[in-house]
């Protein structure tokens, strides 16, 4: 296949990945790696590098809108980024050392987990009892806009949120994904923030987390310009199209289709990982 | 929009950060696109092969190498420069937050943000 045809196909695939990723809130990165490795036969290390870069692009693009609307809690994000960036460095160092079939299997498992988490309805579980004293010291309790005006919220269990974020960072650095589902889970379930605050703050953090491991990937030669170019431009276009259709009627159907696609990709990743090395 | 006193001091920061992020992404995407077009014109009809992983040549892995390559208008170098701009966008956001927290005399968050900033710099410039 000539580079021209290959680039156009990757670009189109990335538009679709970015579109579905932003509609479902999973992000484009999580489909890019299986798409590149399974469909296009790209080495998983190139795929991880390209995906990570596209994650920075979509997160920064979307964060701009969220931050302006006042949903992101910048203090919470900043504090938790200590955990996600250290985790991302650990993840990137692991990626440089682990054999690729093992990375493929871990990817498949994380993919299954994300599909499962995002398919469940989110039940709002606010921090109504006393806030964590640590949250008060760190000035994390904030307000967010609702149709009835600004509403105040408290923050619970900062230490457990912090440890979840470390795991999210490792997943991001090792697999080249944004790991938004783990981040949102930490803020929803542990710290018990309002939906919109946890989603927007997670989005705000994803770019910084990904930048921490992207530096290492660039230095180690994992980021190939020819491959990353169509992936980044495609995911960016696809996700901004997706953001515009976020409240459209077809969202539910698309989510169901996407869930099936993710399940198949996850099984395929695990199977090819096992076949490619672990069972030899 | 009505805002209580508590929300106000943050707002200036939010608008600024939002604009910074958007500008960074647009600039990066435009550079990557330009580099991509040059790359396709020069190499579009050779065969693509990403099956076997080889480390990128060193001039595409270091900041100095990338800048040198990009300014002689090589497609691949320009794409890497755009990607470098993209990686720099969230890092600049963090650097800017240090300044904004310092102006608000929020020492605790200046320290927290400095920690995050050093981790990012270590990743980008380490070794």
């Amino acid at each position: 296949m000539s580079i021209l045809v290959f680039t156009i196909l990757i670009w189109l695939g990335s538009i679709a990945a970015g579109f579905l990723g932003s509609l479902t809130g999973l992000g484009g990165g999580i489909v890019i790696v299986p798409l590149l490795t399974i469909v296009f036969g790209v080495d998983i290390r190139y795929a991880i590098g390209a995906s990570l870069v596209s994650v920075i692009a979509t997160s920064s693009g979307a964060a701009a809108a969220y931050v302006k609307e006042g949903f992101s809690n910048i203090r919470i994000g900043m504090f938790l980024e200590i955990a996600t960036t250290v985790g991302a460095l650990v993840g990137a160092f692991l990626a440089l050392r682990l054999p690729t079939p093992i990375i493929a299997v871990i990817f498949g498992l994380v993919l299954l987990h994300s599909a499962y988490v995002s398919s469940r309805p989110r039940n709002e579980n606010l921090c109504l009892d006393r806030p964590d004293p640590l949250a008060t010291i760190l000035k994390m309790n904030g307000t967010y806009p609702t149709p009835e005006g600004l509403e105040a919220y408290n923050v619970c269990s900062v230490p457990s949120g912090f440890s979840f974020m470390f795991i999210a960072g490792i997943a991001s650095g090792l697999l080249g994904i944004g790991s938004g589902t783990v981040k949102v889970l930490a803020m929803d379930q542990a710290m018990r923030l309002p939906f919109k605050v946890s989603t927007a703050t997670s989005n705000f953090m994803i770019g910084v987390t990904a930048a921490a491991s992207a530096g290492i990937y660039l230095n180690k030669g994992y980021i190939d310009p020819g491959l990353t170019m169509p992936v980044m431009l495609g995911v960016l276009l696809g996700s901004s199209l997706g953001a515009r259709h976020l409240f459209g009627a077809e969202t539910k159907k698309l989510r169901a289709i996407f869930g099936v696609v993710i399940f198949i990709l996850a099984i395929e990743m695990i199977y090819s990982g096992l076949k490619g090395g672990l069972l030899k | 929009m009505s805002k209580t006193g508590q929300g106000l001091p943050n707002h200036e920061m939010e608008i600024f950060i939002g604009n910074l992020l958007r500008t960074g992404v647009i600039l990066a995407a435009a550079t990557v696109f330009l580099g991509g077009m040059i790359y396709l014109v020069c190499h579009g009809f050779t065969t693509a092969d990403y099956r076997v992983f080889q480390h990128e040549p060193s001039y595409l892995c270091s900041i100095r190498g990338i800048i040198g390559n990009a300014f002689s208008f090589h497609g691949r170098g320009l794409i890497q420069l755009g990607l470098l701009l993209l990686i720099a966008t969230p890092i600049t956001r963090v650097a800017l937050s240090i300044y904004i927290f310092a102006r608000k005399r929020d020492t605790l968050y200046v320290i927290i943000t400095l920690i995050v900033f050093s981790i990012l710099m270590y990743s980008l410039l380490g070794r």
Side-chain angles (χ1 to χ4, degrees), chain A:
Chain A
M1 203 189 306
S2 80
I3 285 186
L4 186 63
V5 176
F6 183 79
T7 303
I8 292 172
L9 289 177
I10 299 257
W11 183 66
L12 292 174
S14 304
I15 293 177
F19 184 76
L20 290 170
S22 83
L23 275 186
T24 51
L26 283 174
I30 202 134
V31 229
I32 283 295
V33 175
L35 179 78
L36 291 177
T37 52
I38 296 167
V39 181
F40 291 99
V42 170
D43 186 291
I44 195 167
R45 286 165 284 194
Y46 283 135
I48 290 175
S51 161
L52 198 65
V53 168
S54 74
V55 163
I56 303 179
T58 46
S59 154
S60 303
Y66 280 130
V67 170
K68 282 184 185 175
E69 285 163 11
F71 288 116
S72 316
N73 186 317
I74 293 176
R75 286 207 168 83
I76 296 181
M78 215 65 240
F79 178 72
L80 295 176
E81 273 164 13
I82 298 178
T84 62
T85 49
V86 173
L89 293 186
V90 173
F93 282 120
L94 282 176
L96 300 177
R97 281 160 187 80
L98 286 178
T100 52
I102 293 182
I103 298 178
V105 172
I106 298 176
F107 198 106
L109 296 173
V110 170
L111 203 55
L112 280 180
H113 175 258
S114 299
Y116 167 70
V117 169
S118 69
S119 72
R120 286 187 321 174
R122 289 166 70 179
N123 51 333
E124 190 114 38
N125 182 20
L126 290 177
C127 183
L128 295 173
D129 34 299
R130 272 193 304 151
D132 187 331
L134 198 57
T136 312
I137 295 171
L138 292 166
K139 291 175 275 186
M140 285 176 168
N141 304 314
T143 54
Y144 73 111
T146 64
E148 292 86 43
L150 283 184
E151 200 154 318
Y153 58 87
N154 288 335
V155 182
C156 286
S157 347
V158 175
S160 87
F162 194 81
S163 1
F164 262 118
M165 287 300 168
F166 180 66
I167 296 169
I170 295 180
S172 170
L174 175 64
L175 308 173
I177 56 177
S179 62
T181 37
V182 186
K183 289 188 174 92
V184 168
L185 207 62
M187 286 187 274
D188 268 1
Q189 305 295 321
M191 304 171 76
R192 301 209 254 137
L193 299 173
F195 287 160
K196 286 199 164 170
V197 176
S198 54
T199 310
T201 308
S202 152
N203 205 293
F204 182 70
M205 296 169 61
I206 286 174
V208 173
T209 311
S213 35
I216 293 182
Y217 281 140
L218 188 76
N219 279 320
K220 293 293 177 191
Y222 278 43
I223 296 181
D224 180 86
L227 179 71
T228 312
M229 179 256 298
V231 172
M232 178 227 175
L233 295 176
V235 172
L236 197 55
L237 177 62
S239 58
S240 51
L241 291 176
R244 264 177 228 168
H245 289 84
L246 204 50
F247 303 105
E250 297 296 298
T251 310
K252 226 173 181 176
K253 213 182 285 171
L254 272 174
R255 282 182 80 113
I257 299 170
F258 193 61
V260 175
V261 171
I262 283 198
F263 183 77
I264 296 169
L265 288 175
I267 298 300
E268 184 71 38
M269 286 290 281
I270 295 170
Y271 174 74
S272 63
L274 291 173
K275 194 184 64 175
L278 299 181
L279 295 180
K280 237 176 212 168

Side-chain angles (χ1 to χ4, degrees), chain A residues 3 68 75 138 212 220 224, chain B residues 19 46 55-56 106 109 123:
Chain A
I3 285 186
K68 282 184 185 175
R75 286 207 168 83
L138 292 166
K220 293 293 177 191
D224 180 86
Chain B
N19 289 337
T46 49
H55 293 274
E56 295 303 311
D106 193 337
Y109 272 87
S123 154

Side-chain angles (χ1 to χ4, degrees), chain A residues 1-6, chain B residues 39-49:
Chain A
M1 203 189 306
S2 80
I3 285 186
L4 186 63
V5 176
F6 183 79
Chain B
Y39 169 69
L40 287 180
V41 168
C42 299
H43 301 280
F45 297 100
T46 49
T47 310
D49 187 15

